[in-house]
Each structure stands twice: as C-alpha cells, then as structure tokens.
Amino acid sequence: MNSPSGPSPGSSLSAGRRARELTRTVGGPAVDVLVVGLGATGAGAALDAAARGLDVVAVDAHDLAFGTSRFSSKLIHGGLRYLASAQLDVAHESAVERGVLMERTAPHLVRAQPFVLPLTPMVSRGQAALARAGLRAGDTLRLAARTARATLPPPRRLSAVETRHLAPALRGDGLRGGLLSWDGRLTDDARLVTALARTAAARGARVLTRVRALELTGSGARIRDELTGEEGEIRARAVINASGVWAGGLVDGIRIRPSRGTHLVLRPDRLGPLPAGLHVPVPGETNRFVLVLPQDDGRVYVGLTDEPVDGDVPDVPEAPESDIGFLLDVLGSVLDVPVHRDAVAGAFAGLRPLLDTTASSGAATAATRTADISRRHAVLTSSEGVVTVVGGKLTTYRRMAQDAVDTAVRVRRLPAGPSVTASLPLVGAAAPHVLAALPAPRRLVRRYGTEAPAVHALGARDARLGEPVLPSYPVTGAELLWSLRHEGALDEDDLLDRRTRIGLVPADREAALDAVRGLLDDAPGLDRTG
C-alpha cells in the first residue's frame, strides 16, 4: 500500500495537467480505451483498463462524481436486502466487493458502521424474528465473502437500555430492545471517486473533466471542451459508455428507468449523540427501512426513498417535498421528539441508473415500482461496438468496471490481461496499523489516508490555511488547496459540492462562498496549477 509521504507519484490532477493532456488527446493518435463518465463506475473502468497496461482517456461533461456517485447513502452494503428478494448472486457479489474495499483497496475510506433496528410496538415479534434471521443470513454472507469478523462484527440482540444508549433519541415507551448489526460506510462517496480517478492517473490514464461527449461511435467520440466551447475528436480502439442515467442519450437502444433516492441533512443538535445509525422500519412494509446515518462532520443523513422518475433527466435532481415528508414521518414514528420540516438543514437526491427490462417495447407499466427492478448490472454492446455498462450500485462499482473492460478487451481484441483491481490499493490506502500511526488528525486520516500528514502540513505552514472555512464545519483552507493541486478541482462548485460536502446545506454553502473565493484569490503563494 501507499507510504505516508505526500501525493502518490503521477496521481495529482490539476488544471494544468488537464490542459496539457486535453491538447495531447484531441485530434491525436487513437488511444486503446475511451471511457465516458467519471462517476464510480467510469473512474473504476479507467483504473481497471489503465492497470492492465492500456492507454486510457476518461472524460466527463462536468466534474468527478458530479452525478449519482455523490448522492448515495455513503454505505457499502453487504447485500442483505437482496437476499430477501432471492437475488442471491447480487447479494454475494455485494458482500465480496464490500470486503475488497474494507480490507484491500480502500480501508482508509470504508469502515464498519453499527446500526440499531429498534424493536418498537410497531415491530411485531414475528417481524423481529424475521429481521433477526435476516441479520444472521447477512453474517453468513460475510463469512462466504471471506471478510474477517474483526472487520465486521457479528449481529446481536440488544436490551432496551443498550438500545437507548446507542440511540438516545428513541422513544422509550414500549421499546423492547433492538437488533445490532454492522455494515460498511464510506467517509464520502465523492472521495472514493476522486481516489479512483487519481489512482487511474497514476497508472497513466488521462482524466479530463469538463469534456462533453457529443456523439459516440465504436472508434471514438466527438467532444466539446465545456470551458472553451471548442469541439474536436478523440479516437479510440474501444469506447466504454459509463454515463449512468444519461447512458441512453449517447447510445441507441439503451433504456434507463431512473429511480430517485432522497436524503435529508440534519444538523448535529437535532437528534443528539448517535453512537450508531438506525434502521427504522417503514410502516406497512416488511423489507424496507429508512436509515439514519451519523456523519464524521457532525451532520446526520436520513434516507432514502425509491421513486420512479419520468421525463428528461436533470443534471442535479431536486428533493421533492413529498419525499421529505415521507422521511420525516417514518423517522418520527420512533423518536421521542419528532423532527419537523423547519429542522431540515438540507436535502439531496440521486438517480439510480436502473436498466429497464420490464418490457421489450413501449414504456414500463406504472404498476412496476423501481424498487422491484433488479440491482444487477448489465454490459451491453451496440451494433457499432460501443460498450455500455448500466444498473448496479455503488458497492459493486469495481465489478461493473471489470466486466465492462473485459467486454471491451474481448470485442475490440485489445492486448490486455485480466483485471487486477481487486488487490490494487487506491491512493491513500494502507493497513489499519499504518493509518493509526499517522501524525495527523483522525478526521483527515479518514478522508486522505496516507496523504493526511501532507494535507495537515499545509495548514501548519500557513495559519490561514489551517483555519476552518466555516466556524461550524471542520473543513480547512488546506483541504481546499489540496483539492486544487492534487484532486482536479477547478472552481468553487467542485470544492464546495464534491471535494467537500459543505454545499449539502444551502445556508452553509452561502456562508462559505466568500471565504472560499477570498482564500483562492488572495492567499499568498498558492500555486493552483500543479
């Protein structure tokens, strides 16, 4: 794994590197693989192909993790929910990929998260027994995936006192206890994508944000530089379309049925201390829960919904009031003091790119819920030879990327061996004992891994950079500068909305904007180009 001595060689992404590599790429010789889309799957495909020794270019019309990959629950699921719907292959794949992330490729970004399912009067004893059996089945999945028990502890029954200790905000009346379970949790989904892109860059991939694919063929793409408006062509021997919910707009015959997942953002004081997250059963449903997810920055996420989205796909979906009301109602069913609408500091919604297989022609019926559509991914090859990967979920991004590159290598007869990403550490990764010994604040280690001391040193050298951007939020100016020098951030939106999550709360975003601009414009000696 990586050593704790600054950025990994070749991994730094910056405005200067983007400009140089864009000039070299557009109108230049054909590359082996062009990847369109830089969410988790696209960045994963770029890494997979580059790690096999292929010449790779990856583009996105916006920024790293601009779409679905920054709006997830930040969980790395073990596949328990798929057991209930008899999707055994999906469940096993999820458990395997969770173990890969937690123990090999990104132990700095993914760690065990405890959850409590409170046994309230709304949960019958039969439902409780079913839930407990499901948790035991989930532990069997962990065992089958060969994930160590030290990584993910076993589930167990809690007394009412233990349950209130882990979740003091719960209503005590009628509480019979709880069920404790564990799953994987990301520090930040957008940071995972950034690590993937940087690891790909260290392997020679050209990672180009603000480059829109206007038209795809089996031999490349017509593109437009969104910063200058200039158009050109990127030639490639293989093209992988990993643009998620927008995939159908680039390749004919791809039918996507987006599903909206909405989360609420609460400030730390609204629910009090939360040593564990919560699984809150949705009344009237046997296998659906609202999750309460405490974050390292003190905020709490509450989610999520699963609603079909019709019509044009927006760049940034909005969280409708109907979703917000639903989540508050379910949350209020177990709390001592309900959370009202005015306590919601922010909300965000992501669109899952589900493959529509409900009908061979025509629109899917309204009776088919997106919750019923399989989370299996699919790799499809068009008549022109464009490889499209759709479906799936964040947890299984690596396997999706591997399957897409496998297909591209086979169909286009590229000289490449098998995937190596299951054992390839991402930028910042290290063994737990190495991470624990790093001379940097734990919050930074959980975000930057072995690079945390270098980020911390930026703030130590300049007192202004060492200060939080907002008094109520821990992100410092040093982290913003690091994002500009090494993580491909180009403007305030990249910094506030993806490299950090300040922007999830509109009031915080507005309060931080002037400070961010002032820091970037006025701080002495800030080389932003890399």
Side-chain angles (χ1 to χ4, degrees):
M1 295 191 178
N2 301 305
S3 62
S5 56
S8 299
S11 70
S12 294
L13 299 175
S14 65
R17 179 169 178 172
R18 174 193 178 275
R20 293 189 298 271
E21 293 189 338
L22 183 61
T23 298
R24 169 189 165 198
T25 301
V26 177
V31 299
D32 291 323
V33 179
L34 169 64
V35 179
V36 178
L38 280 167
T41 304
L47 172 57
D48 190 286
R52 301 189 200 204
L54 296 172
D55 187 16
V56 179
V57 171
V59 303
D60 194 287
H62 300 287
D63 182 29
L64 303 174
F66 181 84
T68 304
S69 292
R70 62 168 159 146
F71 293 132
S72 76
S73 293
K74 320 298 183 276
L75 290 179
I76 300 299
H77 286 293
L80 180 58
R81 64 172 295 189
Y82 308 112
L83 282 181
S85 56
Q87 299 181 55
L88 303 183
D89 55 342
V90 180
H92 179 69
E93 182 177 85
S94 296
V96 169
E97 293 302 321
R98 178 183 63 183
V100 167
L101 279 161
M102 297 187 76
E103 297 187 336
R104 283 178 266 170
T105 64
H108 60 310
L109 295 177
V110 187
R111 67 183 189 277
Q113 170 68 46
F115 283 97
V116 172
L117 194 165
L119 300 178
T120 68
M122 296 179 64
V123 179
S124 71
R125 295 190 182 278
Q127 289 173 319
L130 187 63
R132 194 169 186 180
L135 294 179
R136 287 197 296 266
D139 195 49
T140 301
L141 273 179
R142 175 205 60 78
L143 180 64
R146 299 183 179 180
T147 302
R149 180 148 284 175
T151 302
L152 283 170
R156 68 180 181 92
R157 175 73 186 261
L158 299 172
S159 68
V161 172
E162 290 175 311
T163 301
R164 288 292 301 273
H165 175 74
L166 290 174
L170 289 174
R171 187 182 306 129
D173 293 346
L175 185 67
R176 306 192 306 273
L179 300 178
L180 176 67
S181 61
W182 299 78
D183 216 338
R185 179 169 76 87
L186 272 168
T187 298
D188 187 334
D189 46 5
R191 294 213 62 78
L192 173 64
V193 178
T194 300
L196 287 166
R198 292 185 57 209
T199 309
R203 295 288 180 131
R206 287 168 256 174
V207 177
L208 305 175
T209 59
R210 300 332 195 270
V211 175
R212 183 181 297 275
L214 302 172
E215 181 182 357
L216 293 186
T217 68
S219 58
R222 185 167 61 88
I223 60 92
R224 179 174 66 228
D225 181 353
E226 296 290 77
L227 298 183
T228 66
E230 296 180 0
E231 296 187 9
E233 182 182 5
I234 297 176
R235 298 170 55 219
R237 298 176 183 88
V239 177
I240 296 176
N241 175 18
S243 53
V245 289
W246 297 278
L250 290 172
V251 176
D252 292 337
I254 304 296
R255 294 166 50 82
I256 303 296
R257 192 163 188 222
S259 168
R260 183 182 63 244
T262 296
H263 291 81
L264 312 181
V265 183
L266 307 179
R267 293 197 184 277
D269 59 342
R270 290 303 175 179
L271 294 179
L274 273 177
L278 292 175
H279 286 139
V280 183
V282 175
E285 306 221 17
T286 58
N287 189 39
R288 191 178 175 197
F289 302 88
V290 163
L291 305 180
V292 179
L293 305 158
Q295 302 297 302
D296 290 339
D297 58 16
R299 295 171 178 172
V300 177
Y301 299 158
V302 179
L304 75 172
T305 60
D306 198 336
E307 299 295 332
V309 175
D310 299 317
D312 294 335
V313 177
D315 279 349
V316 180
E318 295 186 359
E321 286 297 324
S322 57
D323 285 9
I324 295 173
F326 165 78
L327 293 171
L328 288 176
D329 287 345
V330 176
L331 180 62
S333 70
V334 299
L335 295 183
D336 199 23
V337 179
V339 175
H340 299 293
R341 178 63 180 86
D342 59 2
V344 177
F348 60 92
L351 300 181
R352 306 177 186 90
L354 305 181
L355 182 64
D356 189 353
T357 59
T358 57
S360 58
S361 62
T365 63
T368 303
R369 303 188 311 165
T370 50
D372 298 325
I373 298 177
S374 173
R375 265 39 174 190
R376 292 181 177 90
H377 66 271
V379 178
L380 310 170
T381 305
S382 72
S383 58
E384 286 196 336
V386 176
V387 174
T388 297
V389 55
V390 291
K393 53 201 175 298
L394 181 66
T395 301
T396 59
Y397 82 86
R398 192 206 63 81
R399 183 55 189 267
M400 294 169 66
Q402 175 184 322
D403 289 352
V405 176
D406 280 345
T407 300
V409 167
R410 183 182 70 254
V411 170
R412 308 305 282 188
R413 298 182 179 178
L414 300 177
S419 174
V420 298
T421 53
S423 58
L424 179 61
L426 302 185
V427 164
H433 71 278
V434 174
L435 296 173
L438 292 173
R442 293 303 92 189
R443 185 188 71 85
L444 292 183
V445 174
R446 287 193 292 266
R447 294 180 64 79
Y448 300 93
T450 58
E451 296 183 332
V455 178
H456 186 56
L458 283 177
R461 288 196 296 267
D462 185 327
R464 184 179 180 184
L465 293 176
E467 292 296 318
V469 176
L470 284 176
S472 60
Y473 200 73
V475 171
T476 66
E479 293 173 72
L480 302 182
L481 178 57
W482 184 268
S483 295
L484 290 164
R485 286 181 174 175
H486 304 294
E487 295 182 342
L490 300 180
D491 60 22
E492 293 90 349
D493 291 345
D494 295 353
L495 295 173
L496 292 169
D497 299 333
R498 289 170 290 277
R499 303 307 180 279
T500 72
R501 309 319 292 271
I502 294 173
L504 289 179
V505 174
D508 288 352
R509 191 185 200 285
E510 184 65 26
L513 197 55
D514 285 345
V516 169
R517 288 172 176 168
L519 174 69
L520 301 182
D521 290 342
D522 301 333
L526 301 189
D527 175 13
R528 299 171 50 176
T529 60

